[in-house]
Short mmCIF file of all heavy atoms in Angstrom, two decimals:
data_model
loop_
_atom_site.label_atom_id
_atom_site.label_comp_id
_atom_site.label_asym_id
_atom_site.label_seq_id
_atom_site.Cartn_x
_atom_site.Cartn_y
_atom_site.Cartn_z
N ALA A 736 75.69 -92.11 372.17
CA ALA A 736 75.51 -91.24 373.33
C ALA A 736 76.15 -89.88 373.12
O ALA A 736 75.74 -88.89 373.71
CB ALA A 736 76.10 -91.91 374.58
N ASN A 737 77.16 -89.81 372.27
CA ASN A 737 77.87 -88.56 372.05
C ASN A 737 77.51 -87.89 370.73
O ASN A 737 78.22 -87.00 370.27
CB ASN A 737 79.38 -88.79 372.13
CG ASN A 737 79.85 -88.98 373.55
OD1 ASN A 737 80.08 -88.02 374.28
ND2 ASN A 737 79.95 -90.24 373.97
N GLY A 738 76.43 -88.32 370.11
CA GLY A 738 75.91 -87.58 368.96
C GLY A 738 76.22 -88.16 367.61
O GLY A 738 75.92 -87.54 366.59
N CYS A 739 76.82 -89.36 367.53
CA CYS A 739 77.08 -89.99 366.23
C CYS A 739 76.21 -91.23 366.12
O CYS A 739 76.57 -92.32 366.60
CB CYS A 739 78.57 -90.36 366.09
SG CYS A 739 78.97 -91.18 364.53
N SER A 740 75.07 -91.09 365.49
CA SER A 740 74.11 -92.20 365.42
C SER A 740 74.31 -93.08 364.19
O SER A 740 73.81 -94.20 364.14
CB SER A 740 72.69 -91.65 365.44
OG SER A 740 72.45 -90.84 364.29
N GLN A 741 75.03 -92.58 363.17
CA GLN A 741 75.25 -93.36 361.95
C GLN A 741 76.50 -94.21 362.11
O GLN A 741 77.58 -93.69 362.42
CB GLN A 741 75.38 -92.43 360.73
CG GLN A 741 74.11 -91.66 360.44
CD GLN A 741 74.20 -90.86 359.16
OE1 GLN A 741 75.10 -91.07 358.34
NE2 GLN A 741 73.27 -89.93 358.97
N ILE A 742 76.38 -95.52 361.89
CA ILE A 742 77.45 -96.46 362.21
C ILE A 742 77.60 -97.46 361.07
O ILE A 742 76.63 -97.90 360.47
CB ILE A 742 77.14 -97.19 363.55
CG1 ILE A 742 77.31 -96.21 364.72
CG2 ILE A 742 78.03 -98.41 363.73
CD1 ILE A 742 76.97 -96.79 366.06
N GLN A 743 78.86 -97.84 360.85
CA GLN A 743 79.19 -98.88 359.86
C GLN A 743 80.26 -99.78 360.46
O GLN A 743 81.27 -99.29 360.95
CB GLN A 743 79.71 -98.22 358.56
CG GLN A 743 80.17 -99.20 357.49
CD GLN A 743 80.69 -98.47 356.26
OE1 GLN A 743 80.45 -97.30 356.07
NE2 GLN A 743 81.43 -99.18 355.43
N GLY A 744 80.05 -101.08 360.45
CA GLY A 744 81.06 -101.96 361.02
C GLY A 744 80.54 -103.36 361.27
O GLY A 744 79.35 -103.66 361.08
N TYR A 745 81.44 -104.22 361.73
CA TYR A 745 81.11 -105.63 361.93
C TYR A 745 80.06 -105.84 363.02
O TYR A 745 79.43 -106.90 363.07
CB TYR A 745 82.37 -106.41 362.31
CG TYR A 745 83.30 -106.66 361.15
CD1 TYR A 745 83.04 -106.11 359.90
CD2 TYR A 745 84.45 -107.44 361.29
CE1 TYR A 745 83.90 -106.32 358.83
CE2 TYR A 745 85.31 -107.67 360.23
CZ TYR A 745 85.04 -107.10 359.00
OH TYR A 745 85.87 -107.31 357.95
N TYR A 746 79.88 -104.85 363.92
CA TYR A 746 78.87 -105.03 364.96
C TYR A 746 77.50 -105.24 364.33
O TYR A 746 76.68 -106.02 364.85
CB TYR A 746 78.85 -103.81 365.89
CG TYR A 746 77.76 -103.91 366.95
CD1 TYR A 746 77.84 -104.83 367.99
CD2 TYR A 746 76.64 -103.07 366.88
CE1 TYR A 746 76.83 -104.92 368.93
CE2 TYR A 746 75.63 -103.16 367.83
CZ TYR A 746 75.72 -104.08 368.86
OH TYR A 746 74.73 -104.19 369.79
N PHE A 747 77.21 -104.55 363.25
CA PHE A 747 75.94 -104.72 362.55
C PHE A 747 76.08 -105.67 361.36
O PHE A 747 75.41 -106.69 361.29
CB PHE A 747 75.41 -103.36 362.08
CG PHE A 747 74.88 -102.51 363.19
CD1 PHE A 747 75.61 -101.44 363.68
CD2 PHE A 747 73.64 -102.78 363.77
CE1 PHE A 747 75.12 -100.66 364.71
CE2 PHE A 747 73.14 -101.99 364.79
CZ PHE A 747 73.88 -100.94 365.28
N TYR A 748 76.97 -105.35 360.43
CA TYR A 748 77.07 -106.14 359.21
C TYR A 748 78.52 -106.18 358.72
O TYR A 748 79.24 -105.18 358.79
CB TYR A 748 76.20 -105.55 358.08
CG TYR A 748 74.73 -105.48 358.40
CD1 TYR A 748 74.14 -104.26 358.72
CD2 TYR A 748 73.93 -106.63 358.38
CE1 TYR A 748 72.80 -104.17 359.01
CE2 TYR A 748 72.58 -106.54 358.68
CZ TYR A 748 72.01 -105.32 358.99
OH TYR A 748 70.69 -105.24 359.28
N ARG A 749 78.91 -107.33 358.20
CA ARG A 749 80.17 -107.47 357.47
C ARG A 749 79.93 -107.18 355.99
O ARG A 749 78.79 -107.23 355.53
CB ARG A 749 80.74 -108.89 357.64
CG ARG A 749 81.20 -109.21 359.04
CD ARG A 749 81.67 -110.65 359.15
NE ARG A 749 82.23 -110.92 360.46
CZ ARG A 749 83.51 -110.79 360.78
NH1 ARG A 749 84.38 -110.40 359.84
NH2 ARG A 749 83.94 -111.04 362.00
N PRO A 750 80.97 -106.88 355.22
CA PRO A 750 80.78 -106.76 353.77
C PRO A 750 80.24 -108.06 353.19
O PRO A 750 80.66 -109.16 353.59
CB PRO A 750 82.20 -106.45 353.25
CG PRO A 750 82.90 -105.86 354.42
CD PRO A 750 82.36 -106.56 355.63
N MET A 751 79.29 -107.96 352.25
CA MET A 751 78.65 -109.16 351.72
C MET A 751 78.30 -108.94 350.25
O MET A 751 78.35 -107.81 349.74
CB MET A 751 77.40 -109.48 352.55
CG MET A 751 76.37 -108.38 352.55
SD MET A 751 75.05 -108.65 353.76
CE MET A 751 75.89 -108.21 355.28
N THR A 752 77.94 -110.02 349.59
CA THR A 752 77.59 -109.94 348.18
C THR A 752 76.23 -109.27 348.03
O THR A 752 75.48 -109.12 349.00
CB THR A 752 77.55 -111.34 347.56
OG1 THR A 752 76.50 -112.10 348.19
CG2 THR A 752 78.88 -112.05 347.73
N ALA A 753 75.91 -108.89 346.78
CA ALA A 753 74.63 -108.23 346.51
C ALA A 753 73.46 -109.13 346.89
O ALA A 753 72.43 -108.67 347.42
CB ALA A 753 74.54 -107.82 345.04
N GLU A 754 73.59 -110.46 346.64
CA GLU A 754 72.51 -111.38 346.96
C GLU A 754 72.28 -111.46 348.47
O GLU A 754 71.15 -111.64 348.94
CB GLU A 754 72.82 -112.78 346.41
CG GLU A 754 72.80 -112.87 344.89
CD GLU A 754 74.05 -112.26 344.27
OE1 GLU A 754 75.02 -112.01 345.01
OE2 GLU A 754 74.06 -112.04 343.03
N GLN A 755 73.37 -111.35 349.26
CA GLN A 755 73.25 -111.41 350.71
C GLN A 755 72.70 -110.12 351.31
O GLN A 755 72.13 -110.13 352.40
CB GLN A 755 74.61 -111.73 351.33
CG GLN A 755 75.15 -113.10 350.96
CD GLN A 755 76.60 -113.27 351.39
OE1 GLN A 755 77.38 -112.33 351.38
NE2 GLN A 755 76.95 -114.50 351.76
N VAL A 756 72.86 -109.00 350.61
CA VAL A 756 72.45 -107.71 351.15
C VAL A 756 70.94 -107.57 351.16
O VAL A 756 70.35 -107.04 352.12
CB VAL A 756 73.09 -106.56 350.33
CG1 VAL A 756 72.45 -105.21 350.71
CG2 VAL A 756 74.59 -106.52 350.56
N LEU A 757 70.26 -108.03 350.12
CA LEU A 757 68.82 -107.79 349.96
C LEU A 757 68.02 -108.23 351.18
O LEU A 757 67.17 -107.47 351.67
CB LEU A 757 68.31 -108.48 348.69
CG LEU A 757 66.87 -108.15 348.31
CD1 LEU A 757 66.66 -106.65 348.16
CD2 LEU A 757 66.48 -108.89 347.03
N PRO A 758 68.21 -109.43 351.73
CA PRO A 758 67.44 -109.81 352.93
C PRO A 758 67.74 -108.88 354.12
O PRO A 758 66.85 -108.64 354.94
CB PRO A 758 67.89 -111.25 353.22
CG PRO A 758 68.41 -111.75 351.90
CD PRO A 758 69.00 -110.57 351.23
N MET A 759 68.98 -108.39 354.19
CA MET A 759 69.34 -107.52 355.31
C MET A 759 68.60 -106.18 355.23
O MET A 759 68.25 -105.58 356.25
CB MET A 759 70.85 -107.26 355.30
CG MET A 759 71.68 -108.53 355.39
SD MET A 759 71.28 -109.46 356.88
CE MET A 759 72.06 -111.04 356.49
N LEU A 760 68.35 -105.71 354.01
CA LEU A 760 67.64 -104.44 353.84
C LEU A 760 66.21 -104.53 354.37
O LEU A 760 65.62 -103.51 354.72
CB LEU A 760 67.62 -104.03 352.35
CG LEU A 760 68.98 -103.81 351.69
CD1 LEU A 760 68.79 -103.41 350.23
CD2 LEU A 760 69.77 -102.74 352.43
N GLN A 761 65.67 -105.74 354.41
CA GLN A 761 64.30 -105.94 354.87
C GLN A 761 64.24 -106.53 356.28
O GLN A 761 63.18 -106.86 356.77
CB GLN A 761 63.56 -106.86 353.89
CG GLN A 761 63.53 -106.31 352.47
CD GLN A 761 63.08 -107.34 351.45
OE1 GLN A 761 62.99 -108.51 351.76
NE2 GLN A 761 62.82 -106.89 350.22
N GLY A 762 65.42 -106.66 356.93
CA GLY A 762 65.48 -107.28 358.25
C GLY A 762 65.23 -106.31 359.38
O GLY A 762 64.96 -105.12 359.18
N CYS A 763 65.36 -106.80 360.62
CA CYS A 763 65.08 -106.02 361.83
C CYS A 763 66.37 -105.87 362.63
O CYS A 763 67.16 -106.81 362.76
CB CYS A 763 64.01 -106.71 362.68
SG CYS A 763 63.61 -105.80 364.20
N LEU A 764 66.58 -104.69 363.22
CA LEU A 764 67.81 -104.40 363.97
C LEU A 764 67.55 -104.33 365.48
O LEU A 764 68.41 -103.87 366.22
CB LEU A 764 68.39 -103.06 363.51
CG LEU A 764 68.89 -102.99 362.06
CD1 LEU A 764 69.26 -101.56 361.72
CD2 LEU A 764 70.07 -103.91 361.87
N GLN A 765 66.39 -104.78 365.94
CA GLN A 765 65.99 -104.56 367.33
C GLN A 765 66.99 -105.16 368.31
O GLN A 765 67.35 -104.54 369.31
CB GLN A 765 64.59 -105.13 367.57
CG GLN A 765 64.07 -104.87 368.99
CD GLN A 765 62.64 -105.34 369.14
OE1 GLN A 765 62.04 -105.83 368.19
NE2 GLN A 765 62.08 -105.20 370.33
N ASN A 766 67.47 -106.36 368.05
CA ASN A 766 68.41 -107.01 368.97
C ASN A 766 69.71 -106.24 369.08
O ASN A 766 70.28 -106.09 370.16
CB ASN A 766 68.67 -108.45 368.53
CG ASN A 766 67.43 -109.32 368.66
OD1 ASN A 766 66.53 -109.03 369.45
ND2 ASN A 766 67.37 -110.40 367.87
N LYS A 767 70.17 -105.77 367.95
CA LYS A 767 71.45 -105.05 367.93
C LYS A 767 71.34 -103.67 368.58
O LYS A 767 72.34 -103.10 369.00
CB LYS A 767 71.96 -104.87 366.49
CG LYS A 767 72.46 -106.14 365.85
CD LYS A 767 73.79 -106.59 366.46
CE LYS A 767 74.36 -107.79 365.71
NZ LYS A 767 75.68 -108.19 366.26
N LEU A 768 70.14 -103.12 368.67
CA LEU A 768 69.95 -101.78 369.21
C LEU A 768 69.46 -101.80 370.65
O LEU A 768 68.97 -100.78 371.17
CB LEU A 768 68.95 -101.00 368.35
CG LEU A 768 69.40 -100.72 366.90
CD1 LEU A 768 68.29 -100.06 366.12
CD2 LEU A 768 70.66 -99.86 366.90
N ALA A 769 69.57 -102.96 371.32
CA ALA A 769 69.09 -103.07 372.69
C ALA A 769 69.84 -102.12 373.63
O ALA A 769 69.30 -101.69 374.66
CB ALA A 769 69.22 -104.52 373.17
N PHE A 770 71.07 -101.78 373.30
CA PHE A 770 71.87 -100.92 374.19
C PHE A 770 71.26 -99.52 374.34
O PHE A 770 71.57 -98.81 375.29
CB PHE A 770 73.31 -100.80 373.67
CG PHE A 770 73.43 -100.10 372.36
CD1 PHE A 770 73.56 -98.71 372.30
CD2 PHE A 770 73.42 -100.81 371.16
CE1 PHE A 770 73.69 -98.07 371.10
CE2 PHE A 770 73.54 -100.17 369.95
CZ PHE A 770 73.66 -98.78 369.91
N LEU A 771 70.39 -99.12 373.37
CA LEU A 771 69.78 -97.79 373.46
C LEU A 771 68.86 -97.66 374.67
O LEU A 771 68.66 -96.57 375.21
CB LEU A 771 69.00 -97.48 372.17
CG LEU A 771 69.82 -97.30 370.90
CD1 LEU A 771 68.91 -97.08 369.72
CD2 LEU A 771 70.79 -96.13 371.07
N GLU A 772 68.27 -98.79 375.11
CA GLU A 772 67.34 -98.74 376.24
C GLU A 772 68.06 -98.45 377.55
O GLU A 772 67.55 -97.75 378.41
CB GLU A 772 66.58 -100.06 376.34
CG GLU A 772 65.75 -100.37 375.09
CD GLU A 772 65.08 -101.74 375.18
OE1 GLU A 772 65.26 -102.40 376.22
OE2 GLU A 772 64.39 -102.13 374.21
N SER A 773 69.30 -99.00 377.69
CA SER A 773 70.05 -98.79 378.92
C SER A 773 70.96 -97.58 378.87
O SER A 773 71.47 -97.13 379.88
CB SER A 773 70.89 -100.04 379.23
OG SER A 773 71.78 -100.29 378.14
N ASN A 774 71.17 -97.05 377.68
CA ASN A 774 72.09 -95.91 377.53
C ASN A 774 71.46 -94.91 376.58
O ASN A 774 71.76 -94.91 375.39
CB ASN A 774 73.44 -96.39 377.01
CG ASN A 774 74.43 -95.24 376.93
OD1 ASN A 774 74.29 -94.23 377.62
ND2 ASN A 774 75.42 -95.38 376.06
N PRO A 775 70.52 -94.07 377.02
CA PRO A 775 69.83 -93.14 376.12
C PRO A 775 70.80 -92.24 375.41
O PRO A 775 71.84 -91.89 375.93
CB PRO A 775 68.92 -92.34 377.08
CG PRO A 775 68.80 -93.19 378.29
CD PRO A 775 70.07 -93.95 378.41
N ALA A 776 70.43 -91.83 374.20
CA ALA A 776 71.33 -91.02 373.36
C ALA A 776 71.60 -89.67 373.97
O ALA A 776 72.61 -89.04 373.67
CB ALA A 776 70.73 -90.87 371.96
N GLY A 777 70.74 -89.20 374.80
CA GLY A 777 70.97 -87.86 375.35
C GLY A 777 71.99 -87.82 376.45
O GLY A 777 72.39 -86.75 376.90
N HIS A 778 72.41 -88.99 376.97
CA HIS A 778 73.37 -89.01 378.08
C HIS A 778 74.79 -88.97 377.53
O HIS A 778 75.21 -89.84 376.79
CB HIS A 778 73.18 -90.27 378.91
CG HIS A 778 74.16 -90.38 380.03
ND1 HIS A 778 74.21 -89.49 381.08
CD2 HIS A 778 75.16 -91.29 380.24
CE1 HIS A 778 75.18 -89.85 381.90
NE2 HIS A 778 75.77 -90.92 381.41
#
Side-chain angles (χ1 to χ4, degrees):
N737 285 277
C739 178
S740 63
Q741 296 186 14
I742 288 177
Q743 176 181 344
Y745 285 5
Y746 177 70
F747 286 104
Y748 300 105
R749 292 176 175 269
M751 60 190 76
T752 64
E754 292 76 13
Q755 295 170 326
V756 169
L757 188 56
M759 302 301 166
L760 299 180
Q761 302 167 348
C763 180
L764 295 173
Q765 183 175 358
N766 293 336
K767 288 289 186 177
L768 296 175
F770 65 88
L771 292 177
E772 299 176 1
S773 59
N774 183 23
H778 178 65

